[in-house]
Amino acid sequence: MDTDSLHSESSFMSTHGEAHDDFTQLTKLNGGSHVHTFYKICRDGKYFFMKRLRPEYAAQEYYRQTFRKEYELGSSLQSEYIVRYHQLVDAPTECSLIMDYVNGSTLADFLSNHPDYFHQTNHLRKFLQQLCLALQELHRHQALHLDLKPSNIMLTAVNNDVRLIDLGCSYTDARPSTIGLSRHFAAPEQLDGSYDVDARTDIYALGRILLEMDATSPLPKGFREMARRCAAEQKENRFQSVDEILDFLQQPTRHRPLLILWLCVCCGIAAATILFLFFFPFREGAGVGSTFVDTSADTICLQVLSVDSQQVSIIPSSFGSYASDLIIPDSVAHHNRCYYVTELADSVFFSCTELTSIKLPGRLTTIGSRAFDNCPRLANIHMPRSVNQVKTGAFVNCRSLSYVSWSPAATVVPRNCFVSCMSLRSITLPEGITAIHQDAFCDCRSLEEVDLPSTLQRIDRGAFYQCTSLRTITLPASVTHLGEYLFYKCNQLEEIRALAATPPYISTIVEPSFRGVIRVPTASLEAYKKAPGWKNLNLAPL
C-alpha cells in the first residue's frame, strides 16, 4: 500500500472534470460488477484505485447518488484501517470514485493462499482488533458498513494490516438497500424486510466471517464461541458493540489467571445444572413447554408443543454437533406417552458442519426459520408431504445442497429460503405452490433448471437474483406479479418465456444490459408492447 498517500494531505477534491485527465496510466482490473468497473491509475508516480460506473448506469441518478453517498462518508473517516477516499468525479458523462490503491490481497484470497495463518492466536487477535477499530470509526460517525465480507477486507502486502474497503452499501440516514448485498454474511434483520439495523448488524457479519474461517480451518480455542456469539440470530444475544469485542480480545492477556478461575467456576456450575436437569425436571414436568432429551438414535433435544395432540419440536442442542447421517424418529417416548415430532425449531441445526444427510420424520409439519443455516455439507432434503410451512431462510448457506424434494402442502417458498445454495442445479416445485417470496433462490450460482407449477401466482423481488448459470425460464400463465430485480445478475440468461395472456405487473425484472429475448403469447404480443415495464424489452412471440 502507498502509505504516503494515506497520511499526507490530499490534493484531490470533488470535481466535475474527467477523472483520467491528470493520470498517466489507466489499467483495468479484474472484479467490479454489472454496475461498476475497477481501474488502477497513476498520478505523480503514485498509484490510486478508481471505481467507475458503467456508462449505462452513469446515466441513472439513483446510482450516481449512491456514489455521492459513499464519497461523503468515506472522505469523512479518519482511520488507518479504512481505505482513504480522495475524489468524487461527478461529470455529465462519468461518475467515479478515487481512493487509495491497496497493495495486498483480499481476505478471501489471503485465506486461500495462507490457510494456516490465523491458527496463531496473535495473528487472529491482531486482525480482529484492527477490523474492530475500523468498524468503531464507522459507528462513531453513525454509519454502518452492512456488507462486511472477506472480499471487502484487504490485508496489506507488508505486515498484513487490515484495510476495510467498499462503503457502497453503508447506511447513514436513509433506508438501507439489499441490492448488491452479500446474503451469505447478511444479518437476519437485513433479509427479513424489517431493516432494523444497528451496530450489531455489522457484528453479525464479523461472526459469519469467523465461522467461515473456522469451517475451512479450525480457529484457536475461545474464538469459535466468540464467533457464535457475534452471529447469534437475535441481536440482544450478540456483542452489543465493537467496544465489547475489543474488551473481550484483551481479556486473555490481561486477566488470564482470573479467566481460568472464572472458567473453573462456570464449569462447576454447568455440571451441577446438567445433573439437576437430568434428575429433577424430567421426572416432574411433562406439560407444554417442558424439554427433554432423546438418545434412541442421536442425542436430540425436544420440547413439548401439545400434550393432548402429543406433539413435540426438535430444539437446538447444547450437546455438541450431530452425526453426519442423522435420522429423526417419527415418535419419541416421554413420561410414558408417545409424542410425534411435528416441528423443527428456528436455527435448530445452525452451523452443524458435519451434517451430510438427514431423514425427516413422517408427521413433520413445520421447518423453522434458518433451521439448516450454514450446514455446508448437507447434500439433499426430502420433505415429507406433511410439511405445510417452511419459514424464512430455512436452508440459507447450505453450499453442498444439490437436491430438494419440496412438499406440495407447503404452498409458499419463503423469503431467503435457499440463499447461497451454491450446488443446487435444478429445482422442481410441485403443483399447489402459489408464491415464491423475496430472494428465495438468490445467489444460487449453479442453478440451471427451474420448473414452476401452473398454480404459481407471484414471484417476489430478487427471487432469482444472481443465478448466474440460469439460461432459460418459463413463467406459468397463472403468474400475475413479478417483483423488481427478479433476474438481475443472471448473466447467462438468454430467454424468458412468459405464458400469461395478460401481462403481469412488473417494474424492472432484468438489467438494462439484458440482451436476451422475452417470448410471450402471440395473441398478446401487442398488449405486452404497450404494458409498463414490458414495452422497452426485447419481446418476441412464442
Side-chain angles (χ1 to χ4, degrees), residues 112-277:
S112 297
N113 297 325
H114 308 280
D116 298 330
Y117 180 80
F118 290 111
H119 282 187
Q120 296 186 38
T121 302
N122 60 319
H123 289 165
L124 184 57
R125 182 176 289 113
K126 172 192 166 186
F127 164 77
L128 290 171
Q129 286 173 333
Q130 292 184 353
L131 183 55
C132 283
L133 288 171
L135 292 174
Q136 186 183 60
E137 173 69 2
L138 262 177
H139 298 170
R140 188 174 67 84
H141 281 75
Q142 304 300 308
L144 308 172
H145 192 281
L146 296 186
D147 195 24
L148 199 62
K149 57 186 177 181
S151 60
N152 280 344
I153 301 167
M154 296 201 69
L155 297 177
T156 61
V158 178
N159 207 35
N160 296 324
D161 286 323
V162 167
R163 295 294 182 269
L164 184 60
I165 63 173
D166 196 353
L167 304 179
C169 284
S170 294
Y171 163 55
T172 50
D173 57 356
R175 177 185 172 101
S177 172
T178 59
I179 298 304
L181 185 68
S182 301
R183 268 70 175 172
H184 185 65
F185 300 97
E189 59 268 22
Q190 291 177 274
L191 301 174
D192 64 8
S194 68
Y195 303 104
D196 183 22
V197 296
D198 56 33
R200 294 168 294 182
T201 305
D202 284 338
I203 289 172
Y204 178 92
L206 173 59
R208 291 309 297 249
I209 291 170
L210 289 173
L211 289 173
E212 185 90 353
M213 294 164 63
D214 183 60
T216 304
S217 185
L219 297 176
K221 281 185 177 181
F223 288 94
R224 187 178 295 112
E225 287 307 314
M226 171 192 159
R228 287 175 177 165
R229 182 177 170 189
C230 286
E233 188 84 4
Q234 303 298 323
K235 290 196 293 184
E236 57 269 21
N237 294 331
R238 304 172 199 163
F239 287 97
Q240 299 301 290
S241 69
V242 290
D243 292 338
E244 283 191 15
I245 300 177
L246 288 168
D247 288 342
F248 176 88
L249 293 171
Q250 290 297 321
Q251 287 178 7
T253 55
R254 293 190 304 177
H255 307 297
R256 188 177 299 274
L258 288 175
L259 181 62
I260 294 174
L261 177 61
W262 179 80
L263 287 174
C264 290
V265 172
C266 287
C267 288
I269 294 173
T273 301
I274 290 173
L275 289 172
F276 178 82
L277 289 174

Side-chain angles (χ1 to χ4, degrees), residues 397-417:
N397 301 323
C398 291
R399 287 165 289 174
S400 297
L401 188 65
S402 59
Y403 176 79
V404 176
S405 173
W406 191 269
S407 167
T411 58
V412 171
V413 181
R415 183 188 300 119
N416 307 321
C417 190

Side-chain angles (χ1 to χ4, degrees), residues 326-366:
L326 180 61
I327 299 176
I328 300 178
D330 289 346
S331 61
V332 294
H334 179 52
H335 279 270
N336 299 317
R337 291 176 66 95
C338 177
Y339 285 87
Y340 297 100
V341 179
T342 60
E343 179 184 272
L344 301 182
D346 294 350
S347 303
V348 61
F349 298 112
F350 174 73
S351 284
C352 287
T353 56
E354 300 301 318
L355 187 64
T356 58
S357 69
I358 185 168
K359 180 183 180 299
L360 299 175
R363 298 197 183 192
L364 188 70
T365 61
T366 304

Side-chain angles (χ1 to χ4, degrees), residues 488-507:
Y488 264 53
K489 286 195 175 183
C490 295
N491 301 330
Q492 297 192 58
L493 188 60
E494 298 172 349
E495 181 182 73
I496 300 172
R497 298 167 64 88
L499 305 185
T502 301
Y505 169 79
I506 66 170
S507 55

